[in-house]
Amino acid sequence: MTGPAWVSATEIARGAGVKPAAVSNWRRRHVGFPAAEQRDGREVFQAAEVASWLDGRAVAAPDRRADEAPGATYGDRFRLAVDVPEPEPGPPKSADVPTGTGGRLWWALADAYRGRLLVSDGQLPLTGLAFALLHLRFQEEQRWKDLRAAAGRGLPHEVRELVWHAQAAGDGPDLSPLLESSSDVHRLTPAIEILERLEPVSGNSRGSIPTQAGPIADELLAHATTAGGRRSGLLTTPRSVVRMAVRLTNPGCGERIHDPFCRAGEFLTAAADHVRSRNPNTSGLIASGHAGDSSIAGIARMNLLLHDLAPQNLRAGRAGWPDQKPDEMFDLVLVNPPFNVSHWQDTAFLNFHWPYGEPPNHNANYAWLQFALTSLAKDGRAAVVMPAGAGSSANPRESFIRASMVRAGAVDAVVSLPPQLFPHTSIPVTLWILRRPDHDRDDVLFIDAHRAGTPVDRNRLELRDEDIDRIVAAYQDRSVLSSGTVISHPVARRRISEDDYALSPGRYLSFASPSAALAPGDPAYARASIEDLRHDLRGLRRQAAEAQERAELQLGSVGDLLDAAATSWKRLPLGDVCDVLVGFSGAIRTDHNGPSGTAVVKPRNLVENRISPEMIDHVAPGLAEKLTRYRLRPGDIVCVRTGQLGRQALVTEEQSGWLIGTSCLRLRPDESVDPSYLLYYLALPQTHEWLLAHSTGSAVRLVTAATIRRLPLLLPVRGQQEQIGAAVSALDDLAALHDRIRRAGTGLRDALLPLVFRDPGRGDPIAAERSAADLQQLAAVDGVFAAGDEARGR
C-alpha cells in the first residue's frame, strides 16, 4: 500500500513526531523546505519531497525513540508513519550524490561523540574521521569491507588500523583521541551504515575517486563549519562564494592553480571540479596550496585526496602568512586570507619586494593583494576575498598602494557581496579580481551584488545559482547592467583617480542611478559619462548584431507557420489551462525606499513584456513568510487587473520567489501552454480590446479573476506555440537592445555637447583643447541614432 501523495503541515508534524510549531519553524528558517500548493482549498506539500528533505535532519539523541538507532532521521520516521516509499537503492539515476549524505554523515559522528567531545573542540578530528571513512568507502574497496566486518565483530584494534591507514593516505589530522577505547568502535556504526547504503559508480579503478566522494566531502565540510564556533579552527569560505570566484576566473585545463591560505582546500577542489566539468578526462591538474597550520593542513590534504588531487602539493607553515614566496608563478591564484591581521611582519619574510608600496604593519590586507599579484605568471589572474572596507581605507600607505595598482592596470574588477554569507560573522565582503599588469587596462569593473542572496537560516544568507549567474554575466558583459539584485558599471581609471582611487562599488554604483555619485554639472561627470557610454555602445552594438542573427533564425523557422492552416488549433477559455490568482491586498504595507525584504511586483513594474527592477517595493521578511501563496515562479505571467489594462510580463529565474502585489493577476499555465506564447497572445490588440469590453468601472477599469478565466484562448499544439513564442521573443530582445542603444547614444550626445560648444573665451581648458576628433565623435553618435531608427522602423 502506498501512502498519500500530498500531506498537510499537521500531517507532516504527526508523521515526523514533532509539534506543529516545529514544522512552522522549518518552513520559516529553511528556504529549501518543499513549497506548498493549494489543492481543494487546502495548503499541502508533496510527501516525497518532504521525506527527502527530512532525510537530511538527524534526530538528536535526547529525542530518539527507544526503537531508533543512532543516526536515525526525521525522514525515517515520516516514511514509516506516512508510508512514503524508500528511495531506490544504489546510485541515483542522475549519478548525483544522494541529497543530504554529507550532512547526515557529519551529524551521525557528532551525535555519536556527543558528551565525549564538544562540537567546537572535536570539529577538526571529527571532520578528519569522516574524510577517512569516505576515502575507505570510495577508494579502498577491500579495506572498506574489512572495516565493516571488524566493526560488526567489535574488533577495536583492526578498526583503528584501517582508519589510521586511510588517514595516513592524505596525511590527515591525528585521530587517536577518537579511537582510544573499544566503545569508540560502536560509535562508528551509524556512519558506516550511512556510507554502506551508497554504491560507488561502476567503472572506477583503484586510484580514481568516484564522483560521489567530492560532493559529499563539500557538503560535510559546510555542515562542520556551520556547527563549530569561531574558536574551532575550521573557518572555511562559503561554498557559494567559492563557486562564484571560480566561475569568474574560469580555470582551464593545464593551468597552475594556487591558494596561499588554503583553509580546508575549498578553492582548489572547486577549481578542479570546474575544470573536470568541462573536460571529464582531465588528469594531472596542477593545484597547490599553503595552509596556516598543521591541523588544518591535514583536513585540506584529505579534502584534496577526495577530489583526486595530489595532497603532497599542500604545505603548512606559520599562521597568518606564507613562510616563503612560491618557487613558481601561477596562472590562477584563489585566496580568502585572514582579514586585518596586525603585526604580520613579525612572521613574514622581510625581504619581500613590494611592487606597489610597503603595507602598514597593523594590517596585512594589502600585503595579501600584492602577494597574489606577484605570484601570477604572464596573463595570470587572481581572485582575493577582502573585507568591504579595504577598498576605501584612508590609511596613507594603503591609499598609495591602491592608487599604484589602479594606475598599473592590475585591478580588473571589484564585486561587493551581501552580509551574513559567512557562518560566524555578518560582515560583508568584496571579491577583487586582479590581473598581472602586462597590458593597458583603462577601467575597473564594479559589480554591486549586496542585495543578492537567500536566507538559509535565521542568521545566514547564501548566493543562489541565479545570483552567481547574474554576477558572472555582468563580469563577462562588462557594461552598465542592472538585474534588480546585481548592477555593474565599468569606470574609467581617470574617473577613479578623481575619487582618491577608492575601490568600493558603492562609490560608483546606485540601484537608482549608476552615476549618482557625481554631480551632473561637474565636468568630470561629462567626461566619465563619455568614457562609460562609449564602452557601453560598443558592447550593445555587438549584442544587437548577435540578437539580429538569432531573430533571423527564429523567423526562418516560424515562416512555415504563416501559410499553415489553423483548423487544428484549440479554442478554449483561459481558465481551462491556467491557474489565476489575484495579488495580495493593498492593505499590506510595502516600501520601495530600501532593498531589504522580498520584492513585490506591481503594475508600474510591468514594462514592455518584462518586469522592470526600477521602483520595486519590498515587504519585510516576516510578513513575506505569511504570503507564500503569492510567490512567483519562472514561467508565471503577471498582468494588470486594474487601471491601465493590457500590460503583462513573463516571470524569469531572476524574479523567482518575488511576490505578486496589489492590482495584479498571476497566471500560471499548465504544461499544455508555452509561457512565451501566452505572453504575446495577451499582448495582441484583440486581447486588449476584449479585456476592455469585459472590464468594469468607468474612470478606473477593473478585470476580475473570473473574467480573465473566460478570456478566449487560441491554442496551437505545444511545438508551434514554442516556435511562435521564440520568434516574437527574439524580436522583443532585438527591440529592447536597440532601445538601449538609443538611450546610450542620447546620453553620449548630451554629455559631449557641453564640452564641444563651450565658449573658449572663458578660459575653459576643455573647450580650448577641443579638436576635430570631438566633432567626429558627435557625428558618430548621429550615426548611431540613424541606425537605431532604421532598425526600429523595420
Side-chain angles (χ1 to χ4, degrees):
M1 179 178 177
T2 303
W6 298 88
V7 290
S8 67
T10 302
E11 290 166 336
I12 294 173
R14 188 182 304 121
V18 298
K19 295 180 179 180
V23 177
S24 298
N25 288 335
W26 288 338
R27 294 181 62 186
R28 184 173 67 255
R29 296 175 183 174
H30 301 279
V31 293
F33 192 87
E37 293 194 17
Q38 293 290 327
R39 287 179 170 257
D40 300 326
R42 298 173 65 220
E43 186 180 58
V44 292
F45 307 78
Q46 279 197 357
E49 291 182 0
V50 171
S52 179
W53 189 86
L54 291 174
D55 282 340
R57 301 197 65 79
V59 182
D63 299 327
R64 280 202 301 267
R65 297 168 178 168
D67 59 342
E68 290 178 332
T73 69
Y74 287 106
D76 298 330
R77 282 187 188 176
F78 182 77
R79 292 179 188 280
L80 185 62
V82 184
D83 196 22
V84 180
E86 286 285 341
E88 294 183 11
K93 295 181 176 61
S94 64
D96 289 335
V97 178
T99 302
T101 299
R104 294 181 66 187
L105 180 59
W106 164 256
W107 284 112
L109 289 172
D111 185 59
Y113 282 90
R114 184 173 286 121
R116 167 84 180 275
L117 291 172
L118 294 176
V119 173
S120 57
D121 295 337
Q123 195 175 23
L124 290 178
L126 282 177
T127 304
L129 178 58
F131 281 4
L133 294 175
L134 279 170
H135 173 68
L136 287 170
R137 180 69 184 99
F138 292 113
Q139 194 172 18
E140 301 280 356
E141 181 179 357
Q142 185 56 52
R143 284 193 171 93
W144 172 258
K145 292 179 180 178
D146 295 341
L147 174 71
R148 191 181 58 196
R153 295 197 299 269
L155 304 175
H157 177 74
E158 286 80 355
V159 170
R160 279 196 293 267
E161 288 295 327
L162 289 165
V163 173
W164 284 339
H165 169 82
Q167 177 264 354
D171 195 16
D174 181 17
L175 304 181
S176 57
L178 302 180
L179 301 170
E180 291 178 336
S181 65
S182 58
S183 62
D184 287 332
V185 173
H186 301 291
R187 299 180 193 273
L188 301 184
T189 301
I192 292 174
E193 290 177 351
I194 289 172
L195 291 176
E196 180 61 24
R197 297 173 193 167
L198 305 179
E199 289 291 336
V201 174
S202 60
N204 285 275
S205 60
R206 180 180 174 85
S208 176
I209 296 290
T211 56
Q212 295 109 311
I216 292 176
D218 292 341
E219 184 188 354
L220 186 144
L221 199 57
H223 278 273
T225 303
T226 304
R230 289 184 57 84
R231 293 186 297 176
S232 65
L234 190 56
L235 302 177
T236 63
T237 310
R239 286 190 293 174
S240 62
V241 176
V242 171
R243 290 200 308 272
M244 179 199 65
V246 168
R247 286 190 56 191
L248 287 173
T249 52
N250 192 26
C253 182
E255 289 194 313
R256 295 159 295 176
I257 304 166
H258 185 69
D259 183 346
F261 192 84
C262 72
R263 299 179 184 267
E266 58 269 21
F267 272 125
L268 299 177
T269 57
D273 291 343
H274 178 86
V275 173
R276 292 194 187 103
S277 69
R278 286 149 177 75
N279 185 0
N281 297 320
T282 299
S283 61
L285 290 170
I286 305 173
S288 61
H290 186 284
D293 60 67
S294 58
S295 297
I296 191 67
I299 294 293
R301 290 192 191 98
M302 290 296 294
N303 195 20
L304 264 61
L305 180 68
L306 292 171
H307 286 80
D308 201 18
L309 291 172
Q312 63 268 23
N313 288 340
L314 190 143
R315 296 181 293 112
R318 299 186 182 95
W321 187 260
D323 57 358
Q324 65 181 52
K325 191 173 182 298
D327 297 329
E328 61 176 325
M329 299 293 100
F330 302 98
D331 301 296
L332 174 60
V333 172
L334 298 162
V335 62
N336 174 20
F339 294 166
N340 307 320
V341 174
S342 61
H343 305 295
W344 58 274
Q345 290 179 336
D346 298 340
T347 58
F349 47 92
L350 299 180
N351 295 324
F352 184 77
H353 171 64
W354 302 109
Y356 305 104
E358 184 174 349
N361 189 42
H362 76 277
N363 196 319
N365 290 342
Y366 278 82
W368 281 106
L369 289 167
Q370 292 190 75
F371 186 83
L373 276 168
T374 56
S375 302
L376 295 179
K378 188 177 185 299
D379 298 325
R381 67 271 187 216
V384 185
V385 181
M386 280 278 113
S392 56
S393 168
N395 178 273
R397 287 194 184 184
E398 293 181 333
S399 297
F400 178 83
I401 296 169
R402 190 166 60 241
S404 299
M405 290 171 61
V406 173
R407 285 195 295 264
V411 183
D412 182 20
V414 179
V415 184
S416 65
L417 298 174
Q420 297 183 311
L421 288 175
F422 289 74
H424 310 300
T425 178
S426 61
I427 67 167
V429 300
T430 53
L431 185 73
W432 295 42
I433 306 296
L434 309 175
R435 291 187 180 272
R436 187 178 175 112
D438 290 341
H439 54 281
D440 184 18
R441 182 167 299 283
D442 63 356
D443 62 24
V444 175
L445 177 66
F446 292 100
I447 301 175
D448 190 342
H450 81 270
R451 295 174 59 174
T454 298
V456 291
D457 56 42
R458 201 184 318 179
N459 301 312
R460 193 160 56 91
L461 297 177
E462 184 177 76
L463 295 175
R464 300 171 298 172
D465 288 342
E466 48 265 42
D467 294 322
I468 297 174
D469 290 343
R470 287 194 284 268
I471 293 170
V472 173
Y475 178 72
Q476 294 174 344
D477 186 81
R478 208 173 182 87
S479 66
V480 178
L481 292 175
S482 174
S483 68
T485 57
V486 175
I487 58 175
S488 65
H489 196 190
V491 178
R493 284 188 296 171
R494 186 169 50 181
R495 162 71 184 89
I496 297 173
S497 70
E498 294 167 356
D499 204 3
D500 296 326
Y501 291 97
L503 292 180
S504 298
R507 292 283 189 100
Y508 307 96
L509 300 177
S510 164
F511 281 88
S513 171
S515 301
L518 287 173
D522 188 344
Y525 175 89
R527 291 195 297 273
S529 297
I530 288 173
E531 294 293 332
D532 296 341
L533 290 169
R534 288 180 65 187
H535 187 283
D536 295 346
L537 275 172
R538 288 193 293 268
L540 288 170
R541 295 183 73 173
R542 183 172 59 252
Q543 293 178 51
E546 296 171 355
Q548 178 73 36
E549 292 183 10
R550 289 195 298 271
E552 291 290 346
L553 288 174
Q554 293 293 346
L555 287 172
S557 66
V558 83
D560 295 339
L561 291 177
L562 300 178
D563 300 323
T567 54
S568 62
W569 290 19
K570 297 180 181 178
R571 300 173 187 273
L572 70 170
L574 180 67
D576 286 2
V577 292
C578 246
D579 180 67
V580 181
L581 179 68
V582 177
F584 62 74
S585 167
I588 295 177
R589 186 170 181 269
T590 61
D591 182 13
H592 66 263
N593 294 321
S596 60
T598 302
V600 179
V601 179
K602 292 191 173 182
R604 63 168 174 261
N605 306 121
L606 308 183
V607 180
E608 296 183 353
N609 302 321
R610 289 169 168 79
I611 296 177
S612 169
E614 303 299 328
M615 294 292 288
I616 283 284
D617 279 9
H618 297 79
V619 296
L623 179 57
E625 291 295 334
K626 301 177 181 178
L627 302 173
T628 303
R629 69 187 300 251
Y630 299 104
R631 288 191 181 274
L632 296 170
R633 300 179 187 173
D636 287 348
I637 292 173
V638 179
C639 56
V640 174
R641 67 180 291 260
T642 180
Q644 187 181 350
L645 304 180
R647 285 186 292 159
Q648 55 282 318
L650 180 65
V651 177
T652 66
E653 291 287 348
E654 183 180 320
Q655 297 96 29
S656 179
W658 289 18
L659 299 171
I660 174 178
T662 309
S663 303
C664 289
L665 286 165
R666 184 220 68 199
L667 310 180
R668 181 167 290 168
D670 64 22
E671 294 181 355
S672 68
V673 182
D674 177 64
S676 292
Y677 172 85
L678 179 58
L679 174 73
Y680 295 114
Y681 185 90
L682 294 171
L684 285 171
Q686 300 95 306
T687 304
H688 187 205
E689 291 172 4
W690 188 94
L691 291 173
L692 287 175
H694 292 78
S695 61
T696 60
S698 53
V700 178
R701 309 301 295 178
L702 170 69
V703 174
T704 65
T707 298
I708 204 166
R709 289 190 186 100
R710 299 199 308 270
L711 173 69
L713 177 63
L714 191 62
L715 204 61
V717 297
R718 177 69 189 238
Q720 291 177 328
Q721 293 178 47
E722 292 172 354
Q723 283 183 285
I724 296 170
V728 183
S729 180
L731 291 172
D732 222 3
D733 292 342
L734 182 62
L737 277 168
H738 279 291
D739 188 58
R740 289 177 63 189
I741 290 174
R742 180 189 61 79
R743 285 186 277 118
T746 301
L748 181 55
R749 178 198 63 196
D750 294 345
L752 191 62
L753 281 172
L755 301 183
V756 174
F757 292 108
R758 284 193 175 188
D759 183 1
R762 295 184 179 180
D764 186 339
I766 298 174
E769 296 177 6
R770 72 176 184 265
S771 64
D774 298 319
L775 298 178
Q776 290 173 1
Q777 179 64 56
L778 192 61
V781 174
D782 287 337
V784 171
F785 291 156
D789 290 341
E790 181 182 354
R792 291 170 66 84
R794 286 202 297 268

